Amino acid sequence: MEGRRWTLSGENRAVASARVRRLEPWLPYKDSNLDKQIQNLLCYRYTIRQSGGMGGRSHSAAEELQETASPSGLQPISLPMGRRCGVVRNAEILVKRPRMLIGWDSMNPPSFLTFSLVALFLVPGLQAGDWPGWRGPAGDGTLPVSETYPVTWSAGDAVWRVELGAPGNSSPVVVGNRLFLTEAREKGHERSLVCFDTTTGKELWRQTVKYGKDEITHATNPWCSASPLVHEGIVYAWHGSAGLHAYDLDGRAGWQADLGEFAHIWGPNAASPVVWGDLIIVHAGPGLLAKLVALNRKTGKMAWETALPDAQSAEIKQFKGSWAVPRIMDNGGRAEMLVPLPKWLVSFDPATGKEWWRCGGLSDLCYNNPLVGDGTVVAMCGYGGPAIGVRLPGAGETGDLTASHRLWLVPRNQQRIGSGILLGGNVYICNEPGAAQCFDAKTGEDRWKERLGKNAWSSLNYVGGKCYVVDQTAETHVFEPSPTGLKVVAHNVLAPGEATNATPAFAGGAIYLRTNKALYRIGK
């Protein structure tokens, strides 16, 4: 068709590159002339990049649709049931767009915008409603506003409850009708990946790795604290000193890799694996050994390894380290992997492990994940430490960018363990003492801070237009994101007397929550 190209490239046909050029202003909304396959690419998360120098901008499609649907007069796409997106690579759509919808300088209008759909294309092994890894399909804890999930429930409302053999902080992941969870028994000497049927809660299989050595950790952070990852029919379990293991969906063992021995007074190995192309990447540490490691996800062969000497502890008892999961993004055509480390927010090339840039201002303890949106990165420390906002650099900028790109620094904050979300230019997070907080991502200035519940380690999720967070008593709090104040929707008590540090998974209309005693399914 004239003006449209559709190509499939690479060894996997799910890795697609779609480009559309039109003479008339165009948006990712319903269009009788728009190919259905292209529409299916336009999911709920993408990066907007101006080729003319406007800089990077990334936020949820729900936010983008709200900003653009009214002035454009066009209607947002409603993806049909069974077509929610999974993981996207190399998908771009070039569009021409009225300047009024973005608000750029009328004296320097760009010719085109690039919509890079990062981590959101349908791939083999993923189905509608999947939650394939830590913080969901996009790795940021969000699902579209069109998704429908339970908002209120009470004790006894669970569809099923399954007893677990040991407490743990890892979170469930869901692909199709299978749920995967890591679990440690016998004081960490047995480390397992467990598969459950999502319909019945029945355990389908268990793969256990024996680890003969004693590994130090903290009572609040049991072994196997990293969540599994499912990608293209393979489940990856990072068991720390017991290695990285790959299995198929039926539990048949594939490859395994020994990445070294790790030790930290609070327990290492909480960072879940992430995928980039044919690589599976692990932030391994913290403690006496800290590094980034990339392996071929099909063979387990080492692709690259980057030592993190500044992140290593001088001794096991030193209060120093990062437990953050790397955030991979497309920044103006340059792939970047953001990792908060002691003293620095650092960007690496996920293809090689080489450093792109860094920005100073963090402390020695980094617990949660970096947040990206609207051309800004927000990184926050734990243990009452600082938070910083950083302007995303251009694709050619490298080195120490502290002086030129750091937007703000707030030196002291409440303890933060779980991660937040960045939505509409604001950060929403539940701090460890149970206080929900909203602040401006570009200035760091508080919008509001209010008591929400008990102490919380869980990360916040934004699903169906609402924020969900679970406190340590397993009570789930639901509120509407608003910069004007805390707007509570519900406080849901599921399991009186139980506790949790895990974050729930949202899949197929159901919520899955792990407590220190059991695994629950809520809804449908």
Side-chain angles (χ1 to χ4, degrees):
M1 181 179 292
E2 181 68 24
R4 181 180 297 150
R5 298 197 302 271
W6 174 263
T7 61
L8 294 177
S9 60
E11 64 181 11
N12 192 315
R13 294 185 64 81
V15 180
S17 179
R19 293 183 175 84
V20 178
R21 289 181 181 270
R22 292 170 180 254
L23 296 178
E24 297 298 324
W26 182 85
L27 282 170
Y29 303 104
K30 285 183 178 177
D31 184 330
S32 60
N33 296 318
L34 187 61
D35 188 278
K36 293 295 183 183
Q37 288 180 302
I38 302 297
Q39 286 193 26
N40 284 334
L41 284 173
L42 300 168
C43 303
Y44 71 94
R45 186 101 186 149
Y46 47 83
T47 300
I48 300 174
R49 184 177 78 251
Q50 175 188 357
S51 58
M54 179 181 170
R57 187 180 184 211
S58 174
H59 58 182
S60 70
E63 180 184 340
E64 179 65 10
L65 296 178
Q66 291 170 0
E67 292 176 2
T68 57
S70 296
S72 70
L74 298 172
Q75 297 300 313
I77 289 175
S78 296
L79 291 176
M81 290 298 292
R83 295 293 302 191
R84 203 188 75 207
C85 291
V87 179
V88 149
R89 298 192 301 272
N90 304 334
E92 292 184 343
I93 296 176
L94 301 181
V95 298
K96 191 172 182 179
R97 187 173 186 182
R99 65 177 61 94
M100 61 173 283
L101 299 181
I102 288 291
W104 55 67
D105 184 352
S106 61
M107 300 300 292
N108 298 287
S111 57
F112 288 92
L113 294 177
T114 299
F115 286 71
S116 297
L117 290 86
V118 180
L120 293 172
F121 184 60
L122 292 170
V123 297
L126 286 184
Q127 304 173 23
D130 288 344
W131 188 271
W134 168 245
R135 305 209 77 197
D140 61 358
T142 68
L143 289 179
V145 294
S146 59
E147 297 277 352
T148 302
Y149 282 83
V151 173
T152 60
W153 60 86
S154 60
D157 284 348
V159 176
W160 49 254
R161 177 186 186 274
V162 176
E163 287 280 339
L164 296 175
N169 292 350
S170 66
S171 298
V173 303
V174 179
V175 170
N177 64 348
R178 301 194 176 194
L179 179 149
F180 302 92
L181 190 71
T182 56
E183 181 186 75
R185 297 182 181 182
E186 300 298 325
K187 297 183 178 180
H189 294 299
E190 293 183 0
R191 307 184 187 191
S192 301
L193 174 68
V194 192
C195 177
F196 297 88
D197 185 302
T198 59
T199 303
T200 64
K202 178 183 177 181
E203 182 177 317
L204 298 178
W205 55 261
R206 174 184 296 262
Q207 281 284 7
T208 300
V209 176
K210 302 284 189 177
Y211 186 68
K213 299 181 180 180
D214 292 331
E215 185 176 86
I216 188 173
T217 191
H218 194 275
T220 59
N221 186 32
W223 305 268
C224 290
S225 54
S227 301
L229 170 70
V230 185
H231 186 76
E232 296 187 2
I234 303 297
V235 191
Y236 302 93
W238 167 227
H239 290 323
S241 299
L244 177 65
H245 299 260
Y247 305 93
D248 69 14
L249 298 181
D250 293 320
R252 287 184 288 266
W255 55 263
Q256 60 183 30
D258 182 353
L259 303 186
E261 294 185 8
F262 302 87
H264 191 283
I265 189 173
W266 293 337
N269 315 314
S272 303
V274 295
V275 163
W276 174 252
D278 283 334
L279 302 178
I280 182 164
I281 301 173
V282 177
H283 177 201
L288 303 180
L289 177 62
K291 58 184 177 179
L292 292 167
V293 182
L295 303 95
N296 183 289
R297 60 183 175 82
K298 298 175 182 177
T299 66
K301 182 179 179 181
M302 183 77 69
W304 56 259
E305 179 175 321
T306 298
L308 303 173
D310 293 340
Q312 291 180 186
S313 304
E315 58 180 358
I316 292 176
K317 295 183 178 180
Q318 185 180 8
F319 289 4
K320 180 180 181 179
S322 172
W323 291 258
V325 177
R327 176 70 183 272
I328 300 178
M329 60 169 292
D330 173 16
N331 182 21
R334 180 171 74 182
E336 298 194 19
M337 181 171 64
L338 304 173
V339 187
L341 297 171
K343 306 300 185 187
W344 302 91
L345 170 66
V346 186
S347 172
F348 299 89
D349 182 350
T352 65
K354 295 181 180 179
E355 182 177 317
W356 287 124
W357 56 266
R358 60 175 52 205
C359 180
L362 300 181
S363 69
D364 278 348
L365 293 167
C366 302
Y367 298 157
N368 51 34
N369 303 348
L371 307 179
V372 184
D374 222 10
T376 305
V377 183
V378 175
M380 295 172 275
C381 293
Y383 220 68
I388 61 173
V390 181
R391 176 171 58 86
L392 274 174
E397 295 180 286
T398 59
D400 185 349
L401 304 181
T402 307
S404 58
H405 286 68
R406 194 175 73 193
L407 299 173
W408 52 266
L409 183 153
V410 177
R412 297 292 299 173
N413 298 275
Q414 286 187 322
Q415 163 75 305
R416 290 166 172 159
I417 296 178
S419 301
I421 60 165
L422 201 165
L423 181 69
N426 296 302
V427 171
Y428 297 88
I429 191 168
C430 184
N431 299 321
E432 193 272 346
Q437 183 179 4
C438 173
F439 63 86
D440 190 303
K442 289 193 179 297
T443 66
E445 296 179 356
D446 274 352
R447 303 287 195 190
W448 53 263
K449 184 190 297 181
E450 299 184 38
R451 170 68 61 181
L452 181 62
K454 303 293 196 306
N455 291 40
W457 283 25
S458 173
S459 290
L460 189 148
N461 291 314
Y462 175 69
V463 176
K466 297 177 177 61
C467 296
Y468 292 72
V469 69
V470 184
D471 68 26
Q472 287 185 306
T473 68
E475 182 173 352
T476 302
H477 308 278
V478 185
F479 66 93
E480 295 181 359
S482 171
T484 61
L486 178 61
K487 299 182 178 180
V488 174
V489 175
H491 300 291
N492 301 305
V493 178
L494 175 66
E498 296 190 27
T500 185
N501 287 330
T503 297
F506 295 75
I511 302 173
Y512 300 89
L513 177 62
R514 182 229 192 110
T515 71
N516 62 337
K517 295 181 179 179
L519 180 65
Y520 290 84
R521 172 174 172 155
I522 306 162
K524 289 191 177 182

